[in-house]
Amino acid sequence: MIQKLKHFFSIGPVFAYFFRIFRKDTEGKYPHSFNLKMMHGINKISIIMFLICVIVMVTRCASR
């Protein structure tokens, strides 16, 4: 039961994706297509915008 919950709540693959998206695939493990490149580009932009917004919110909260 606990193993199932650990597997269900594991976020390791999510962090692996975040780190994988910002580096080039030199080994050729993952498929390459125009749609996939565009999806990764949009994901990069959204991750960066999210981090900038979190930084702005924390600085506004800290300056009060």
Side-chain angles (χ1 to χ4, degrees):
M1 175 78 173
I2 293 176
Q3 280 303 97
K4 287 182 184 179
L5 285 176
K6 271 188 174 180
H7 179 70
F8 183 73
F9 287 110
S10 80
I11 56 172
V14 174
F15 286 121
Y17 173 76
F18 285 142
F19 291 121
R20 189 180 80 220
I21 196 172
F22 285 106
R23 61 185 165 102
K24 297 287 183 190
D25 180 26
T26 57
E27 300 159 2
K29 286 184 184 177
Y30 304 104
H32 299 284
S33 70
F34 179 75
N35 292 334
L36 190 62
K37 287 180 183 180
M38 289 298 109
M39 182 194 71
H40 286 305
I42 291 170
N43 284 347
K44 286 178 190 178
I45 292 169
S46 64
I47 290 168
I48 291 169
M49 286 180 61
F50 173 76
L51 292 175
I52 289 171
C53 290
V54 167
I55 291 170
V56 167
M57 289 173 60
V58 167
T59 55
R60 283 185 180 178
C61 184
S63 66
R64 287 186 180 180

